[in-house]
Amino acid sequence: MKLSSIIMAKFDFSKRESFGSKFGIIAAAAGSAIGLGNIWRFPYIVGENGGGAFLIIYLFFVISIGIPVMLSEFAIGRGAQRNPIGAFKKLAPGKPWFLVGIMGVGAAFMILAFYTVVAGWTLEYLYQSVANGFKEKTAEQIGEMFEHFRTTYRPVMWFLVFMLFTAGIVISGVKKGIERYTKVLMPILLLILIVISVRSVTLPGSKEGLDFLFKPDFTKITAGTVLEALGQAFFSLSIGMGTLITYGSYISKKENLTTTAVSVTMADTFIAVLAGIAIFPAVFAFGIPPASEEGLVYKTLPIIFQKMTGGYYFSLLFFILLGVAALTSTISVLEVIVAYFSEELNISRKQSTWLGTAAVAVLGVFASYSSGVFSFLNFTSASILLPLGGLLIVMFIGWYYGKKKTREELTNQGTIRVVIFPVYMFLVKFLAPIAIAAVFLYGLGVF
Ligand code: PHE
């Protein structure tokens, strides 16, 4: 074959893959949504920001903005049957909307680079749990262990191992890779989380932890916490960057997108709350002040496991849980990149996977050692690109793609009823764009 014909060759879209079952779709999409965001970030943010009061605001955003954005992504993906950039090019030919897709693929590189670094730490802690490495260590020593670990070669090693796991699943394709693994991993995750939650709430003195999590304190609600709630909703639901456009493009034309979006959102929220129930009662039962984010998981919890009867096993279970949750998320982000490479550059899935993995690996090594790079990637993707992407996605549906075509897509060409359609259209046209824009501009300090 001549070089020119290789370059000119186009991806054969008739060979595009799809998910095989309804459960597979939900496992994959909920797998993407449920991740580190649910297990280490959500519980702490809720506790710190007014418990039940924050929860109400969070739920409001999830329902009024999260579900509409998710549904819009599914509609775009399934309507176009393409990766995020190709999807906008197909649905809005000759228009600049494809830039939203470019932003999404860019965000995918950034998220994968810092997120997989954290996921890699899980493997070190799993290893330490097996080797009983926290045994008889004081709280201070456990804290130092984490700080020391981060200066060694090991974070990069575990990051690369985690990338390889991710690539290994994505390379096998949508049905034989992503769907096959998430269908097994998600039930395991749920089971482990239930076991840990039961242990946690049955410890003496656990009530204080439940109070920390649920007791509403409206004095803690400020404009800043409202912003925090929206940002968390976007990150936790994996929306705003085309992950769910990509997954949506693998959903069959017969599925009900609306019920799928609602189920995925419910699963994500349920697991986030359950993670809080698994963590805080135990933390408070042992009278340890909880740290936030990585401190909570990598410093506070190992201390708790030392003190708890059966802690050896709970430590193992917990880090397996965290690794599984992260893995089903990283594969969804890598899939965005792979779908883009394979369809737009027309290279095989195998080559796309390695190319994407190599590019992320370079970025991740920097993120691993430099907290500046890490924070930059984290902030730019989660606080800027996701909300901006979400805003543009709902505006695309509400103001460009329009009611008629969107209704066709969501009702499967008029064959199913979507009762909430008028409400959905109102939300994507008015409420969601205004709310996202307001919260976003406020966050950037514009007003
Ligand atoms: N939703 C994932 C979590 O909560 C993170 C994620 C964000 C995954 C964006 C994909 C896209 O951990």
Side-chain angles (χ1 to χ4, degrees):
M1 217 195 286
K2 277 206 275 148
L3 187 63
S4 60
S5 61
I6 296 175
I7 293 172
M8 294 305 289
K10 279 257 188 286
F11 181 82
D12 182 356
F13 285 100
S14 64
K15 295 218 177 75
R16 241 178 152 268
E17 280 201 81
S18 59
F19 289 123
S21 68
K22 175 128 191 136
F23 179 63
I25 297 165
I26 301 207
S32 170
I34 296 165
L36 300 170
N38 301 57
I39 297 173
W40 83 2
R41 198 146 185 277
F42 179 84
Y44 185 77
I45 294 185
V46 176
E48 267 299 83
N49 290 298
F54 182 89
L55 211 53
I56 294 170
I57 300 175
Y58 180 79
L59 288 178
F60 173 77
F61 280 147
V62 161
I63 294 167
S64 65
I65 298 178
I67 293 178
V69 178
M70 188 182 288
L71 194 49
S72 302
E73 289 203 27
F74 281 160
I76 293 169
R78 194 178 66 171
Q81 307 274 302
R82 293 284 186 283
N83 66 85
I85 298 179
F88 284 104
K89 281 191 182 154
K90 186 169 170 196
L91 300 183
K95 295 281 185 316
W97 285 106
F98 70 95
L99 293 171
V100 182
I102 293 187
M103 244 171 60
V105 175
F109 278 104
M110 299 174 90
I111 291 183
L112 209 48
F114 77 85
Y115 194 89
T116 315
V117 167
V118 182
W121 300 344
T122 314
L123 298 180
E124 168 77 11
Y125 276 60
L126 188 56
Y127 167 81
Q128 293 293 350
S129 304
V130 174
N132 218 349
F134 308 113
K135 199 172 172 213
E136 279 156 25
K137 286 216 166 54
T138 63
E140 205 165 277
Q141 285 169 324
I142 286 179
E144 276 163 15
M145 239 175 115
F146 180 65
E147 300 306 336
H148 173 71
F149 156 68
R150 293 197 56 192
T151 63
T152 63
Y153 69 93
R154 300 172 71 89
V156 170
M157 174 183 88
W158 292 123
F159 159 74
L160 293 173
V161 170
F162 209 95
M163 274 313 293
L164 286 180
F165 282 152
T166 308
I169 294 177
V170 169
I171 212 165
S172 312
V174 175
K175 214 178 276 173
K176 292 210 183 94
I178 298 173
E179 182 172 356
R180 185 164 133 218
Y181 285 94
T182 50
K183 263 162 62 178
V184 180
L185 292 174
M186 293 316 285
I188 294 178
L189 178 143
L190 180 64
L191 198 70
I192 297 181
L193 197 55
I194 291 175
V195 171
I196 300 180
S197 303
V198 169
R199 167 82 261 209
S200 182
V201 293
T202 51
L203 286 165
S206 60
K207 188 175 169 300
E208 210 186 319
L210 293 174
D211 283 348
F212 175 73
L213 196 58
F214 293 117
K215 207 170 175 188
D217 178 357
F218 287 93
T219 62
K220 291 251 178 76
I221 302 298
T222 61
T225 45
V226 174
L227 173 71
E228 188 88 86
L230 186 74
Q232 175 64 19
F234 267 81
F235 190 76
S236 187
L237 293 171
S238 302
I239 53 180
M241 53 155 285
T243 313
L244 299 178
I245 293 182
T246 311
Y247 274 8
S249 75
Y250 304 134
I251 298 180
S252 106
K253 293 278 182 196
K254 290 196 285 293
E255 292 297 338
N256 185 334
L257 294 180
T258 313
T259 52
T260 306
V262 172
S263 312
V264 172
T265 304
M266 276 169 40
D268 186 66
T269 310
F270 173 72
I271 295 289
V273 173
L274 195 59
I277 297 176
I279 294 174
F280 285 114
V283 169
F284 281 86
F286 290 102
I288 294 178
S292 69
E293 308 205 356
E294 74 263 27
L296 175 63
V297 171
Y298 298 106
K299 291 179 186 167
T300 314
L301 291 184
I303 306 170
I304 308 291
F305 293 133
Q306 286 321 295
K307 301 187 177 216
M308 184 190 272
T309 331
Y312 179 85
Y313 298 100
F314 283 102
S315 178
L316 269 182
L317 280 179
F318 182 80
F319 289 109
I320 292 173
L321 166 84
L322 208 56
V324 165
L327 184 62
T328 55
S329 296
T330 53
I331 58 179
S332 73
V333 188
L334 183 59
E335 179 60 25
V336 173
I337 298 172
V338 169
Y340 165 67
F341 279 165
S342 58
E343 292 173 14
E344 304 295 311
L345 309 181
N346 190 32
I347 50 178
S348 70
R349 172 168 280 271
K350 206 164 152 189
Q351 287 166 325
S352 305
T353 308
W354 290 127
L355 190 63
T357 304
V360 172
V362 173
L363 205 54
V365 170
F366 286 102
S368 202
Y369 284 130
S370 153
S371 57
V373 173
F374 185 98
S375 309
F376 170 79
L377 295 174
N378 187 348
F379 177 79
T380 315
S381 56
S383 305
I384 298 184
L385 297 177
L386 296 192
L388 196 59
L391 173 68
L392 293 168
I393 286 166
V394 284
M395 287 183 62
F396 175 81
I397 291 286
W399 297 92
Y400 179 85
Y401 201 55
K403 199 166 165 177
K404 191 168 162 284
K405 286 193 205 148
T406 309
R407 183 189 286 124
E408 298 246 293
E409 189 58 49
L410 294 187
T411 60
N412 301 351
Q413 327 303 327
T415 56
I416 54 170
R417 266 178 58 131
V418 178
V419 192
I420 62 163
F421 186 74
V423 184
Y424 162 74
M425 264 336 265
F426 171 79
L427 290 173
V428 290
K429 231 173 150 167
F430 304 107
L431 187 99
I434 294 170
I436 302 171
V439 174
F440 179 59
L441 292 177
Y442 174 82
L444 294 183
V446 177
F447 61 82

